[in-house]
Every structure is written in C-alpha cells, then in structure tokens.
Amino acid sequence: MKKNCNIIQIKGIRGLIIIGLIACCLFAGFIIFPGIVLMCIWNSLVKYATQIPNINIIQGTLLWGIIIVSYFIFRKEKLVVCVKSPQGLSEEELKAVFADIKKQANEDKIIQTMLKARETELKIKEDKEKSENINTK
C-alpha cells in the first residue's frame, strides 16, 4: 500500500460539524485575527496624523491580504502550484485499502446494527411474500 495514501473518513453529522468548526477556526486564525492586529496597528500609528483615516476590520483584513500577496510576489523562491489528477492505485493497493475499510466497518457497532436491521427487514419481507404466495395457492 502507498505510504502517502491518506483517506479521511467523515462519519455523520458530527463529522460535518467538526469539519465546519475546523474551517471556521482556520479562517479566524489565519485571516481575521491578523486583520484585527493590522487594524489596531494602523489605527495606533495614525492617531498622530490628521490626514490619514482610521480603518475598520474589513479594511484591516484587506491590508493583510495585500501584505501576503506582495510577499508571495516579491520573494525569491517561486511558489509552484501544480494541479493534476492523482495516479491510480494498483490492484493490490486498492484491495488493501478496501480490506482496511471493511475491517473498520466490521468493528463499528453502528454499522453492524444497521446491517442486522437490514437483514431482519429482508427476512420479514421474504416471510411476508412466502405467506402471500401460500395464501394465493
């Protein structure tokens, strides 16, 4: 199995909520917080100047964006972004991944309960069909 093959499994509403919270925290930590800091720095520096206006949080965030974009434009190392489709897994690697997923599913009590409920539902349907067939004969 490939060592760089990462599979992230999101289970149910709880997983979606956690992903949303992580995204909000990343957004607040890397975009909003530096914008607030730059807004405070700007406003404290322009206290003494009469012609320069104060800025609000949106303008502070825009200033942060300008600084970051300028950094990436003017730095010596170039940022290379490569977008391509991943190469496919070999047959053995796919079997190993699916075996691992099946093993995890067999250990999960919720999935096992759902499978048992489905099997019971199918048995009830079969018994109902058999009783209807016997009654029609």
Side-chain angles (χ1 to χ4, degrees):
M1 195 159 111
K2 285 187 176 180
K3 293 181 182 178
N4 294 334
C5 180
N6 295 326
I7 297 175
I8 298 172
Q9 186 175 7
I10 300 172
K11 292 184 179 182
I13 299 294
R14 181 176 178 225
L16 292 174
I17 291 172
I18 289 173
I19 293 294
L21 287 174
I22 290 171
C24 287
C25 290
L26 289 174
F27 180 76
F30 289 106
I31 296 173
I32 299 299
F33 179 73
I36 292 172
V37 170
L38 283 174
M39 176 192 72
C40 292
I41 291 171
W42 177 276
N43 289 339
S44 66
L45 291 176
V46 299
K47 263 195 279 190
Y48 307 108
T50 58
Q51 298 295 323
I52 302 173
N54 288 339
I55 62 173
N56 61 20
I57 190 167
I58 295 171
Q59 293 163 332
T61 305
L62 287 172
L63 181 60
W64 172 244
I66 291 168
I67 291 170
I68 292 299
V69 169
S70 300
Y71 169 75
F72 282 114
I73 290 173
F74 294 117
R75 71 182 195 166
K76 295 186 187 229
E77 302 92 27
K78 295 296 179 191
L79 178 67
V80 178
V81 177
C82 182
V83 179
K84 64 177 183 177
S85 61
Q87 296 177 355
L89 298 174
S90 69
E91 196 68 32
E92 296 84 27
E93 291 168 338
L94 275 176
K95 286 180 182 178
V97 168
F98 285 126
D100 195 28
I101 291 171
K102 190 173 183 180
K103 180 182 172 187
Q104 288 177 357
N106 288 337
E107 294 172 358
D108 193 356
K109 291 181 181 181
I110 295 173
I111 293 175
Q112 290 302 316
T113 306
M114 290 172 59
L115 289 174
K116 286 179 185 176
R118 179 70 179 153
E119 288 174 4
T120 306
E121 183 181 314
L122 290 175
K123 285 182 184 178
I124 291 171
K125 269 188 178 178
E126 287 176 7
D127 291 342
K128 196 175 195 182
E129 288 175 1
K130 285 180 184 177
S131 65
E132 288 176 358
N133 287 340
I134 292 175
N135 290 338
T136 56
K137 288 183 181 180

